[in-house]
Amino acid sequence: MFPLQTSKPETYSMRIRKAVFPVAGLGTRFLPATKAIPKEMLPVVDRPVIQHVVDEARAAGIEHFIFVTGRNKGTIEDHFDIAFELDHTLASRNRHADLALLADDLPGAGQTSFTRQQAPLGLGHAVWCARELVGDEPFAVLLPDMLHHGIEPCLKGMIEQHTKTGANSVSVYAVPMEQTPSYGIIDAVPLADGSQQIRNMVEKPAAGTAPSNLAISGRYVLSPKIFDILGRQQKGAGGEIQLTDAMLTLLETEKFLAHVFDGEVFDTGTKIGFLTANVAYALARPEFGSLARSEIEKLLARRQNT
Ligand code: UTP
């Protein structure tokens, strides 16, 4: 546990313009689907997982989208580019609604950057690979396999919190206490304004030892000081350079607040999380949510009768 940081000069309050999307992981929990296809390109309903996360960042006001990619991730770059031949064919067939759909999903020209993590040395190392593109300003990190489904985009609330306080921010959500050994869990103290200041983060605590039931959900707003720390960071759990280890070092000098996300969180990097996300997002779609519901109900009824 670390002493609570209060000093103002240690925090940055600058507009959050840039977001880092670490997409260089191997996705081994989703084999064989991810042998040739990046897990970030698997669709949740009709949009790749990565598009949902970029949409969240855009809704939060992000202007520059930095992807840390690896081998076999080229389709992500293609997805965020104009597909000239496809556009041409759609235009010649008067498919204007489809053209508009594709155009809406694209960040503007010059708003995306791609850099390579040359070896999958861990999430912390992937974030460090973005240091030259981020520069000396606070920035967001969004783990693309974690989908946040709610009324308010998760990152938007975090950026608002950062704007008010200048503090680093980590998104969390409540999980059943008995499931805490599967997550990164925070230890936080409530502040007078209703927010929660983080004093420790514990990766996969042993059963019965978790300091809370608030699990880290894969959205961060961080000061650029994290890059110096990551540059010196030794390998941690799993032989990888861990972002959480670097955040714990930063916690010694800077304030971290928790942003409790009010909605559902799906880990689409796991098979069951991916399937559940597809059901939840399909049910929420105005144009076919009720049809999806009746198909699921029919399916369940058939299973009950056999
Ligand atoms: P995960 O551990 O969930 O992703 O990392 P993974 O390594 O792709 O998955 P498994 O465990 O083999 O199934 C969390 C995030 O960090 C990125 C991943 O792409 C994912 O978005 N990551 C992880 C990197 O970019 N580089 C790494 O070296 C490790």
Side-chain angles (χ1 to χ4, degrees), residues 171-217:
S171 67
V172 293
Y173 69 119
V175 297
M177 205 63 189
E178 64 278 10
Q179 289 176 17
T180 51
S182 306
Y183 296 92
I185 301 291
I186 63 158
D187 181 9
V189 284
L191 301 181
D193 63 1
S195 61
Q196 301 205 47
Q197 183 166 353
I198 298 175
R199 54 182 179 182
N200 200 6
M201 293 173 248
V202 191
E203 231 5 272
K204 300 193 168 75
T209 66
S212 75
N213 70 334
L214 294 176
I216 297 172
S217 68

mmCIF file of all heavy atoms in Angstrom, residues 171-217:
data_model
loop_
_atom_site.group_PDB
_atom_site.id
_atom_site.type_symbol
_atom_site.label_atom_id
_atom_site.label_comp_id
_atom_site.label_asym_id
_atom_site.label_seq_id
_atom_site.Cartn_x
_atom_site.Cartn_y
_atom_site.Cartn_z
ATOM 1 N N SER A 171 -10.136 2.878 -14.851
ATOM 2 C CA SER A 171 -11.537 2.441 -14.816
ATOM 3 C C SER A 171 -11.651 1.116 -14.069
ATOM 4 O O SER A 171 -10.788 0.240 -14.194
ATOM 5 C CB SER A 171 -12.081 2.276 -16.235
ATOM 6 O OG SER A 171 -11.427 1.198 -16.871
ATOM 7 N N VAL A 172 -12.725 1.007 -13.298
ATOM 8 C CA VAL A 172 -12.979 -0.240 -12.556
ATOM 9 C C VAL A 172 -14.474 -0.550 -12.637
ATOM 10 O O VAL A 172 -15.286 0.322 -12.962
ATOM 11 C CB VAL A 172 -12.571 -0.113 -11.062
ATOM 12 C CG1 VAL A 172 -11.072 0.045 -10.917
ATOM 13 C CG2 VAL A 172 -13.303 1.014 -10.361
ATOM 14 N N TYR A 173 -14.802 -1.802 -12.365
ATOM 15 C CA TYR A 173 -16.218 -2.187 -12.253
ATOM 16 C C TYR A 173 -16.342 -3.258 -11.180
ATOM 17 O O TYR A 173 -15.380 -3.970 -10.864
ATOM 18 C CB TYR A 173 -16.772 -2.650 -13.605
ATOM 19 C CG TYR A 173 -16.230 -3.957 -14.132
ATOM 20 C CD1 TYR A 173 -17.066 -5.043 -14.355
ATOM 21 C CD2 TYR A 173 -14.875 -4.116 -14.424
ATOM 22 C CE1 TYR A 173 -16.579 -6.246 -14.855
ATOM 23 C CE2 TYR A 173 -14.382 -5.302 -14.922
ATOM 24 C CZ TYR A 173 -15.224 -6.360 -15.136
ATOM 25 O OH TYR A 173 -14.740 -7.543 -15.623
ATOM 26 N N ALA A 174 -17.557 -3.331 -10.630
ATOM 27 C CA ALA A 174 -17.777 -4.259 -9.516
ATOM 28 C C ALA A 174 -17.920 -5.681 -10.034
ATOM 29 O O ALA A 174 -18.650 -5.925 -10.997
ATOM 30 C CB ALA A 174 -19.028 -3.844 -8.748
ATOM 31 N N VAL A 175 -17.185 -6.617 -9.424
ATOM 32 C CA VAL A 175 -17.308 -8.042 -9.774
ATOM 33 C C VAL A 175 -17.683 -8.795 -8.484
ATOM 34 O O VAL A 175 -17.420 -8.298 -7.379
ATOM 35 C CB VAL A 175 -15.992 -8.612 -10.367
ATOM 36 C CG1 VAL A 175 -15.630 -7.928 -11.666
ATOM 37 C CG2 VAL A 175 -14.835 -8.528 -9.375
ATOM 38 N N PRO A 176 -18.297 -9.977 -8.614
ATOM 39 C CA PRO A 176 -18.589 -10.748 -7.394
ATOM 40 C C PRO A 176 -17.290 -11.037 -6.624
ATOM 41 O O PRO A 176 -16.262 -11.354 -7.244
ATOM 42 C CB PRO A 176 -19.210 -12.046 -7.934
ATOM 43 C CG PRO A 176 -19.697 -11.703 -9.307
ATOM 44 C CD PRO A 176 -18.780 -10.652 -9.835
ATOM 45 N N MET A 177 -17.347 -10.890 -5.302
ATOM 46 C CA MET A 177 -16.147 -11.029 -4.462
ATOM 47 C C MET A 177 -15.410 -12.346 -4.724
ATOM 48 O O MET A 177 -14.170 -12.363 -4.783
ATOM 49 C CB MET A 177 -16.568 -10.938 -2.979
ATOM 50 C CG MET A 177 -15.478 -10.489 -2.070
ATOM 51 S SD MET A 177 -14.914 -8.806 -2.469
ATOM 52 C CE MET A 177 -13.486 -8.661 -1.459
ATOM 53 N N GLU A 178 -16.172 -13.432 -4.964
ATOM 54 C CA GLU A 178 -15.507 -14.734 -5.138
ATOM 55 C C GLU A 178 -14.746 -14.817 -6.470
ATOM 56 O O GLU A 178 -13.914 -15.699 -6.672
ATOM 57 C CB GLU A 178 -16.492 -15.902 -4.991
ATOM 58 C CG GLU A 178 -17.605 -15.989 -6.015
ATOM 59 C CD GLU A 178 -18.810 -15.087 -5.724
ATOM 60 O OE1 GLU A 178 -18.728 -14.233 -4.807
ATOM 61 O OE2 GLU A 178 -19.824 -15.232 -6.429
ATOM 62 N N GLN A 179 -15.018 -13.871 -7.381
ATOM 63 C CA GLN A 179 -14.301 -13.895 -8.668
ATOM 64 C C GLN A 179 -13.049 -13.003 -8.677
ATOM 65 O O GLN A 179 -12.329 -12.937 -9.677
ATOM 66 C CB GLN A 179 -15.239 -13.457 -9.798
ATOM 67 C CG GLN A 179 -16.305 -14.494 -10.101
ATOM 68 C CD GLN A 179 -17.292 -14.012 -11.150
ATOM 69 O OE1 GLN A 179 -17.037 -13.062 -11.889
ATOM 70 N NE2 GLN A 179 -18.441 -14.671 -11.209
ATOM 71 N N THR A 180 -12.793 -12.301 -7.575
ATOM 72 C CA THR A 180 -11.673 -11.346 -7.563
ATOM 73 C C THR A 180 -10.312 -11.990 -7.890
ATOM 74 O O THR A 180 -9.463 -11.313 -8.482
ATOM 75 C CB THR A 180 -11.581 -10.586 -6.219
ATOM 76 O OG1 THR A 180 -11.601 -11.554 -5.152
ATOM 77 C CG2 THR A 180 -12.737 -9.609 -6.048
ATOM 78 N N PRO A 181 -10.075 -13.292 -7.572
ATOM 79 C CA PRO A 181 -8.756 -13.861 -7.927
ATOM 80 C C PRO A 181 -8.471 -13.878 -9.435
ATOM 81 O O PRO A 181 -7.343 -14.112 -9.852
ATOM 82 C CB PRO A 181 -8.819 -15.289 -7.361
ATOM 83 C CG PRO A 181 -9.801 -15.213 -6.240
ATOM 84 C CD PRO A 181 -10.840 -14.232 -6.713
ATOM 85 N N SER A 182 -9.479 -13.611 -10.264
ATOM 86 C CA SER A 182 -9.244 -13.601 -11.718
ATOM 87 C C SER A 182 -8.903 -12.215 -12.258
ATOM 88 O O SER A 182 -8.677 -12.064 -13.459
ATOM 89 C CB SER A 182 -10.505 -14.074 -12.458
ATOM 90 O OG SER A 182 -10.917 -15.303 -11.982
ATOM 91 N N TYR A 183 -8.912 -11.197 -11.408
ATOM 92 C CA TYR A 183 -8.796 -9.819 -11.915
ATOM 93 C C TYR A 183 -7.667 -9.044 -11.234
ATOM 94 O O TYR A 183 -7.142 -9.468 -10.214
ATOM 95 C CB TYR A 183 -10.108 -9.063 -11.640
ATOM 96 C CG TYR A 183 -11.307 -9.615 -12.368
ATOM 97 C CD1 TYR A 183 -12.120 -10.570 -11.764
ATOM 98 C CD2 TYR A 183 -11.616 -9.193 -13.651
ATOM 99 C CE1 TYR A 183 -13.233 -11.082 -12.424
ATOM 100 C CE2 TYR A 183 -12.717 -9.703 -14.317
ATOM 101 C CZ TYR A 183 -13.528 -10.645 -13.705
ATOM 102 O OH TYR A 183 -14.609 -11.152 -14.359
ATOM 103 N N GLY A 184 -7.369 -7.855 -11.811
ATOM 104 C CA GLY A 184 -6.564 -6.862 -11.113
ATOM 105 C C GLY A 184 -7.533 -6.061 -10.245
ATOM 106 O O GLY A 184 -8.538 -5.555 -10.745
ATOM 107 N N ILE A 185 -7.263 -5.974 -8.960
ATOM 108 C CA ILE A 185 -8.218 -5.374 -8.012
ATOM 109 C C ILE A 185 -7.579 -4.139 -7.376
ATOM 110 O O ILE A 185 -6.380 -4.145 -7.061
ATOM 111 C CB ILE A 185 -8.598 -6.403 -6.913
ATOM 112 C CG1 ILE A 185 -9.229 -7.656 -7.537
ATOM 113 C CG2 ILE A 185 -9.512 -5.784 -5.854
ATOM 114 C CD1 ILE A 185 -10.597 -7.465 -8.158
ATOM 115 N N ILE A 186 -8.389 -3.089 -7.181
ATOM 116 C CA ILE A 186 -7.836 -1.884 -6.551
ATOM 117 C C ILE A 186 -8.187 -1.824 -5.063
ATOM 118 O O ILE A 186 -9.178 -2.396 -4.613
ATOM 119 C CB ILE A 186 -8.339 -0.583 -7.239
ATOM 120 C CG1 ILE A 186 -9.858 -0.430 -7.114
ATOM 121 C CG2 ILE A 186 -7.889 -0.510 -8.684
ATOM 122 C CD1 ILE A 186 -10.334 1.003 -7.281
ATOM 123 N N ASP A 187 -7.343 -1.094 -4.344
ATOM 124 C CA ASP A 187 -7.612 -0.741 -2.956
ATOM 125 C C ASP A 187 -7.758 0.781 -2.977
ATOM 126 O O ASP A 187 -6.821 1.489 -3.362
ATOM 127 C CB ASP A 187 -6.413 -1.181 -2.091
ATOM 128 C CG ASP A 187 -6.624 -0.856 -0.624
ATOM 129 O OD1 ASP A 187 -7.740 -0.453 -0.258
ATOM 130 O OD2 ASP A 187 -5.645 -1.010 0.146
ATOM 131 N N ALA A 188 -8.935 1.285 -2.620
ATOM 132 C CA ALA A 188 -9.169 2.729 -2.743
ATOM 133 C C ALA A 188 -9.841 3.270 -1.491
ATOM 134 O O ALA A 188 -10.523 2.538 -0.772
ATOM 135 C CB ALA A 188 -10.039 3.004 -3.964
ATOM 136 N N VAL A 189 -9.636 4.582 -1.261
ATOM 137 C CA VAL A 189 -10.317 5.230 -0.131
ATOM 138 C C VAL A 189 -11.252 6.307 -0.680
ATOM 139 O O VAL A 189 -10.884 7.040 -1.608
ATOM 140 C CB VAL A 189 -9.320 5.884 0.864
ATOM 141 C CG1 VAL A 189 -8.651 4.845 1.721
ATOM 142 C CG2 VAL A 189 -8.290 6.729 0.144
ATOM 143 N N PRO A 190 -12.471 6.388 -0.105
ATOM 144 C CA PRO A 190 -13.401 7.408 -0.597
ATOM 145 C C PRO A 190 -12.941 8.808 -0.201
ATOM 146 O O PRO A 190 -12.432 9.019 0.892
ATOM 147 C CB PRO A 190 -14.722 7.044 0.098
ATOM 148 C CG PRO A 190 -14.404 6.062 1.150
ATOM 149 C CD PRO A 190 -13.029 5.544 0.946
ATOM 150 N N LEU A 191 -13.106 9.777 -1.110
ATOM 151 C CA LEU A 191 -12.774 11.174 -0.811
ATOM 152 C C LEU A 191 -14.066 11.947 -0.563
ATOM 153 O O LEU A 191 -15.168 11.469 -0.898
ATOM 154 C CB LEU A 191 -11.998 11.797 -1.977
ATOM 155 C CG LEU A 191 -10.668 11.121 -2.352
ATOM 156 C CD1 LEU A 191 -10.008 11.859 -3.518
ATOM 157 C CD2 LEU A 191 -9.710 11.086 -1.154
ATOM 158 N N ALA A 192 -13.928 13.153 -0.032
ATOM 159 C CA ALA A 192 -15.102 13.945 0.342
ATOM 160 C C ALA A 192 -16.009 14.226 -0.857
ATOM 161 O O ALA A 192 -17.240 14.296 -0.715
ATOM 162 C CB ALA A 192 -14.644 15.258 0.977
ATOM 163 N N ASP A 193 -15.432 14.358 -2.053
ATOM 164 C CA ASP A 193 -16.255 14.690 -3.227
ATOM 165 C C ASP A 193 -16.925 13.456 -3.854
ATOM 166 O O ASP A 193 -17.522 13.531 -4.924
ATOM 167 C CB ASP A 193 -15.407 15.408 -4.288
ATOM 168 C CG ASP A 193 -14.283 14.520 -4.838
ATOM 169 O OD1 ASP A 193 -14.187 13.344 -4.411
ATOM 170 O OD2 ASP A 193 -13.520 14.995 -5.684
ATOM 171 N N GLY A 194 -16.811 12.304 -3.189
ATOM 172 C CA GLY A 194 -17.469 11.093 -3.695
ATOM 173 C C GLY A 194 -16.574 10.235 -4.574
ATOM 174 O O GLY A 194 -16.923 9.104 -4.892
ATOM 175 N N SER A 195 -15.412 10.772 -4.986
ATOM 176 C CA SER A 195 -14.524 9.952 -5.814
ATOM 177 C C SER A 195 -13.717 9.004 -4.917
ATOM 178 O O SER A 195 -13.779 9.090 -3.687
ATOM 179 C CB SER A 195 -13.588 10.840 -6.647
ATOM 180 O OG SER A 195 -12.784 11.609 -5.785
ATOM 181 N N GLN A 196 -12.981 8.096 -5.534
ATOM 182 C CA GLN A 196 -12.200 7.125 -4.762
ATOM 183 C C GLN A 196 -10.747 7.222 -5.181
ATOM 184 O O GLN A 196 -10.426 7.094 -6.372
ATOM 185 C CB GLN A 196 -12.703 5.721 -5.055
ATOM 186 C CG GLN A 196 -14.160 5.543 -4.714
ATOM 187 C CD GLN A 196 -14.467 4.083 -4.430
ATOM 188 O OE1 GLN A 196 -13.752 3.410 -3.691
ATOM 189 N NE2 GLN A 196 -15.519 3.583 -5.033
ATOM 190 N N GLN A 197 -9.873 7.449 -4.206
ATOM 191 C CA GLN A 197 -8.445 7.545 -4.515
ATOM 192 C C GLN A 197 -7.784 6.177 -4.331
ATOM 193 O O GLN A 197 -7.922 5.529 -3.285
ATOM 194 C CB GLN A 197 -7.771 8.589 -3.619
ATOM 195 C CG GLN A 197 -6.300 8.752 -3.993
ATOM 196 C CD GLN A 197 -5.656 9.979 -3.393
ATOM 197 O OE1 GLN A 197 -6.315 10.815 -2.777
ATOM 198 N NE2 GLN A 197 -4.343 10.090 -3.565
ATOM 199 N N ILE A 198 -7.054 5.784 -5.358
ATOM 200 C CA ILE A 198 -6.426 4.452 -5.328
ATOM 201 C C ILE A 198 -5.153 4.507 -4.489
ATOM 202 O O ILE A 198 -4.335 5.414 -4.635
ATOM 203 C CB ILE A 198 -6.095 3.998 -6.769
ATOM 204 C CG1 ILE A 198 -7.391 3.889 -7.591
ATOM 205 C CG2 ILE A 198 -5.347 2.658 -6.765
ATOM 206 C CD1 ILE A 198 -7.177 3.555 -9.070
ATOM 207 N N ARG A 199 -4.987 3.520 -3.589
ATOM 208 C CA ARG A 199 -3.722 3.454 -2.839
ATOM 209 C C ARG A 199 -2.946 2.181 -3.140
ATOM 210 O O ARG A 199 -1.807 2.031 -2.727
ATOM 211 C CB ARG A 199 -3.933 3.645 -1.346
ATOM 212 C CG ARG A 199 -4.930 2.710 -0.748
ATOM 213 C CD ARG A 199 -5.122 2.988 0.724
ATOM 214 N NE ARG A 199 -6.116 2.078 1.263
ATOM 215 C CZ ARG A 199 -6.538 2.081 2.497
ATOM 216 N NH1 ARG A 199 -6.068 2.964 3.352
ATOM 217 N NH2 ARG A 199 -7.442 1.220 2.898
ATOM 218 N N ASN A 200 -3.586 1.249 -3.846
ATOM 219 C CA ASN A 200 -2.840 0.049 -4.245
ATOM 220 C C ASN A 200 -3.618 -0.672 -5.351
ATOM 221 O O ASN A 200 -4.842 -0.485 -5.498
ATOM 222 C CB ASN A 200 -2.638 -0.893 -3.060
ATOM 223 C CG ASN A 200 -1.487 -1.868 -3.283
ATOM 224 O OD1 ASN A 200 -0.759 -1.774 -4.286
ATOM 225 N ND2 ASN A 200 -1.308 -2.796 -2.369
ATOM 226 N N MET A 201 -2.910 -1.473 -6.133
ATOM 227 C CA MET A 201 -3.541 -2.324 -7.149
ATOM 228 C C MET A 201 -2.911 -3.701 -7.010
ATOM 229 O O MET A 201 -1.679 -3.807 -6.971
ATOM 230 C CB MET A 201 -3.279 -1.781 -8.557
ATOM 231 C CG MET A 201 -3.961 -0.446 -8.815
ATOM 232 S SD MET A 201 -3.480 0.261 -10.402
ATOM 233 C CE MET A 201 -2.538 1.672 -9.879
ATOM 234 N N VAL A 202 -3.742 -4.720 -6.949
ATOM 235 C CA VAL A 202 -3.236 -6.078 -6.711
ATOM 236 C C VAL A 202 -3.654 -6.958 -7.882
ATOM 237 O O VAL A 202 -4.844 -7.072 -8.183
ATOM 238 C CB VAL A 202 -3.821 -6.673 -5.400
ATOM 239 C CG1 VAL A 202 -3.092 -7.954 -5.026
ATOM 240 C CG2 VAL A 202 -3.782 -5.667 -4.272
ATOM 241 N N GLU A 203 -2.682 -7.565 -8.538
ATOM 242 C CA GLU A 203 -2.969 -8.457 -9.680
ATOM 243 C C GLU A 203 -3.402 -9.818 -9.154
ATOM 244 O O GLU A 203 -2.692 -10.431 -8.357
ATOM 245 C CB GLU A 203 -1.686 -8.593 -10.495
ATOM 246 C CG GLU A 203 -1.715 -8.347 -12.000
ATOM 247 C CD GLU A 203 -2.976 -7.856 -12.657
ATOM 248 O OE1 GLU A 203 -3.808 -8.699 -13.034
ATOM 249 O OE2 GLU A 203 -3.128 -6.632 -12.827
ATOM 250 N N LYS A 204 -4.581 -10.276 -9.525
ATOM 251 C CA LYS A 204 -5.081 -11.619 -9.168
ATOM 252 C C LYS A 204 -4.816 -11.986 -7.699
ATOM 253 O O LYS A 204 -4.010 -12.900 -7.397
ATOM 254 C CB LYS A 204 -4.469 -12.671 -10.103
ATOM 255 C CG LYS A 204 -4.809 -12.418 -11.571
ATOM 256 C CD LYS A 204 -4.474 -13.613 -12.431
ATOM 257 C CE LYS A 204 -5.060 -13.512 -13.806
ATOM 258 N NZ LYS A 204 -4.503 -12.652 -14.766
ATOM 259 N N PRO A 205 -5.479 -11.297 -6.763
ATOM 260 C CA PRO A 205 -5.253 -11.605 -5.340
ATOM 261 C C PRO A 205 -5.715 -13.021 -4.988
ATOM 262 O O PRO A 205 -6.670 -13.523 -5.587
ATOM 263 C CB PRO A 205 -6.124 -10.559 -4.617
ATOM 264 C CG PRO A 205 -7.141 -10.143 -5.622
ATOM 265 C CD PRO A 205 -6.495 -10.261 -6.973
ATOM 266 N N ALA A 206 -5.041 -13.643 -4.019
ATOM 267 C CA ALA A 206 -5.450 -14.993 -3.580
ATOM 268 C C ALA A 206 -6.856 -14.906 -2.982
ATOM 269 O O ALA A 206 -7.254 -13.853 -2.450
ATOM 270 C CB ALA A 206 -4.456 -15.491 -2.537
ATOM 271 N N ALA A 207 -7.598 -16.013 -3.087
ATOM 272 C CA ALA A 207 -8.989 -16.038 -2.596
ATOM 273 C C ALA A 207 -9.053 -15.526 -1.156
ATOM 274 O O ALA A 207 -8.232 -15.893 -0.312
ATOM 275 C CB ALA A 207 -9.524 -17.462 -2.691
ATOM 276 N N GLY A 208 -10.021 -14.632 -0.911
ATOM 277 C CA GLY A 208 -10.234 -14.127 0.445
ATOM 278 C C GLY A 208 -9.315 -12.976 0.832
ATOM 279 O O GLY A 208 -9.412 -12.462 1.943
ATOM 280 N N THR A 209 -8.431 -12.536 -0.069
ATOM 281 C CA THR A 209 -7.481 -11.468 0.319
ATOM 282 C C THR A 209 -7.710 -10.157 -0.448
ATOM 283 O O THR A 209 -7.004 -9.186 -0.218
ATOM 284 C CB THR A 209 -6.014 -11.903 0.071
ATOM 285 O OG1 THR A 209 -5.825 -12.056 -1.355
ATOM 286 C CG2 THR A 209 -5.672 -13.204 0.773
ATOM 287 N N ALA A 210 -8.692 -10.133 -1.359
ATOM 288 C CA ALA A 210 -8.875 -8.932 -2.194
ATOM 289 C C ALA A 210 -9.275 -7.733 -1.321
ATOM 290 O O ALA A 210 -10.139 -7.863 -0.452
ATOM 291 C CB ALA A 210 -9.948 -9.194 -3.247
ATOM 292 N N PRO A 211 -8.649 -6.572 -1.567
ATOM 293 C CA PRO A 211 -8.986 -5.389 -0.762
ATOM 294 C C PRO A 211 -10.346 -4.781 -1.118
ATOM 295 O O PRO A 211 -10.867 -3.930 -0.386
ATOM 296 C CB PRO A 211 -7.855 -4.409 -1.090
ATOM 297 C CG PRO A 211 -7.314 -4.864 -2.414
ATOM 298 C CD PRO A 211 -7.539 -6.332 -2.503
ATOM 299 N N SER A 212 -10.927 -5.172 -2.262
ATOM 300 C CA SER A 212 -12.253 -4.686 -2.658
ATOM 301 C C SER A 212 -12.768 -5.634 -3.742
ATOM 302 O O SER A 212 -12.104 -6.604 -4.085
ATOM 303 C CB SER A 212 -12.173 -3.258 -3.219
ATOM 304 O OG SER A 212 -11.620 -3.291 -4.543
ATOM 305 N N ASN A 213 -13.950 -5.311 -4.271
ATOM 306 C CA ASN A 213 -14.450 -6.106 -5.414
ATOM 307 C C ASN A 213 -14.413 -5.266 -6.692
ATOM 308 O O ASN A 213 -15.133 -5.539 -7.637
ATOM 309 C CB ASN A 213 -15.869 -6.615 -5.154
ATOM 310 C CG ASN A 213 -16.884 -5.482 -5.175
ATOM 311 O OD1 ASN A 213 -16.533 -4.330 -4.915
ATOM 312 N ND2 ASN A 213 -18.115 -5.801 -5.481
ATOM 313 N N LEU A 214 -13.564 -4.221 -6.706
ATOM 314 C CA LEU A 214 -13.481 -3.348 -7.879
ATOM 315 C C LEU A 214 -12.334 -3.795 -8.789
ATOM 316 O O LEU A 214 -11.152 -3.692 -8.420
ATOM 317 C CB LEU A 214 -13.305 -1.895 -7.446
ATOM 318 C CG LEU A 214 -14.513 -1.293 -6.708
ATOM 319 C CD1 LEU A 214 -14.215 0.122 -6.236
ATOM 320 C CD2 LEU A 214 -15.769 -1.310 -7.598
ATOM 321 N N ALA A 215 -12.698 -4.304 -9.972
ATOM 322 C CA ALA A 215 -11.718 -4.868 -10.903
ATOM 323 C C ALA A 215 -11.341 -3.833 -11.960
ATOM 324 O O ALA A 215 -12.196 -3.088 -12.459
ATOM 325 C CB ALA A 215 -12.301 -6.102 -11.583
ATOM 326 N N ILE A 216 -10.054 -3.815 -12.310
ATOM 327 C CA ILE A 216 -9.554 -2.907 -13.355
ATOM 328 C C ILE A 216 -10.103 -3.384 -14.704
ATOM 329 O O ILE A 216 -10.011 -4.568 -15.033
ATOM 330 C CB ILE A 216 -8.015 -2.892 -13.352
ATOM 331 C CG1 ILE A 216 -7.515 -2.337 -11.996
ATOM 332 C CG2 ILE A 216 -7.470 -2.063 -14.503
ATOM 333 C CD1 ILE A 216 -6.014 -2.444 -11.803
ATOM 334 N N SER A 217 -10.679 -2.434 -15.475
ATOM 335 C CA SER A 217 -11.412 -2.868 -16.675
ATOM 336 C C SER A 217 -10.765 -2.444 -17.992
ATOM 337 O O SER A 217 -11.369 -2.616 -19.052
ATOM 338 C CB SER A 217 -12.848 -2.350 -16.609
ATOM 339 O OG SER A 217 -12.880 -0.953 -16.740
#
